[in-house]
Amino acid sequence: MTLSLTHKRSTGARRWLPVIALGVLTLGGCANSDIYSGNVYTGDQAKRAQSVSYGTITSLRPVQIQAQDEGSGVLGGLGGAVVGGLLGSQIGGGSGRAIATAAGAIGGSVAGKSIADNVDQIDAYEIEVRRDAGDSLIVVQKADTAFSVGQRVRLVGYGANLSVAPY
C-alpha cells in the first residue's frame, strides 16, 4: 500500500512539472523593455541637466531591439529541456525511453531558448534626424510614439544617450 501511495504522489508531482517549467519560461521572457522608450527616464537621468536640440526626421525605419536580458535565454533553454525531457520520458520503455528523454530534453532546450529570444525582441524605430545645426544622427528607440518623415522633433539627452520626442 505504501509503495502504491508513493507511486501516486510521484506521478502527481510529475504532472505538475511541465506547468512549473512553462511558468519559469514565461517569467524568464519578461524583460523590461521600457528602458528603450523615449518616454521613460532611468533613475540616474532624473534631476540631471540635459541638452535639447531640434531637427526634422529624414528617415524612419522599423527595426527590432534584442533585449539584453541574457538570463531569459538560459531560463528558456532550461525550462524547455525540462518540458522536453518530461514529454520524451512518456515514450517507450527501457533504453528507448532513455533515448526519447534525452532527445526531448535536447530538442526542448533548443526550442525553449529560441522562444525566449524571440519574446525578448522589442519593436523599435531607427530614426534619422537632420538637426537644425546641419548635421544628421540616428537614434534607435522603442516604437511607442508615432513618428513620420518630415516631422519636427526634439533631441533630448547628453552624450550618446539621446531620445527623440515630438516637438
Side-chain angles (χ1 to χ4, degrees), residues 25 70 72-78 80 107-119:
L25 275 171
E70 295 175 15
S72 68
V74 172
L75 285 174
L78 289 174
S109 176
V110 170
K113 183 177 183 330
S114 176
I115 290 168
D117 286 346
N118 287 332
V119 165

Side-chain angles (χ1 to χ4, degrees), residues 77-91:
L78 289 174
V82 169
V83 171
L86 286 170
L87 292 174
S89 71
Q90 305 301 314
I91 298 171

Side-chain angles (χ1 to χ4, degrees), residues 88-104:
S89 71
Q90 305 301 314
I91 298 171
S95 62
R97 176 176 282 174
I99 292 169
T101 300

Side-chain angles (χ1 to χ4, degrees), residues 16-27 75-76 78-80 82-83 86:
W16 285 102
L17 283 175
V19 173
I20 293 168
L22 286 173
V24 168
L25 275 171
T26 301
L27 291 175
L75 285 174
L78 289 174
V82 169
V83 171
L86 286 170

Side-chain angles (χ1 to χ4, degrees), residues 94-136:
S95 62
R97 176 176 282 174
I99 292 169
T101 300
I106 291 168
S109 176
V110 170
K113 183 177 183 330
S114 176
I115 290 168
D117 286 346
N118 287 332
V119 165
D120 286 345
Q121 290 184 349
I122 298 132
D123 291 334
Y125 291 126
E126 177 188 88
I127 308 165
E128 184 175 348
V129 177
R130 180 155 183 82
R131 293 198 287 194
D132 292 347
D135 60 331
S136 292

Side-chain angles (χ1 to χ4, degrees), residues 39 141 145-147 151-154 164-167:
N39 297 322
Q141 71 185 37
T145 302
F147 290 109
Q151 180 179 356
R152 294 283 295 160
V153 292
R154 295 181 312 145
V164 178
Y167 179 58

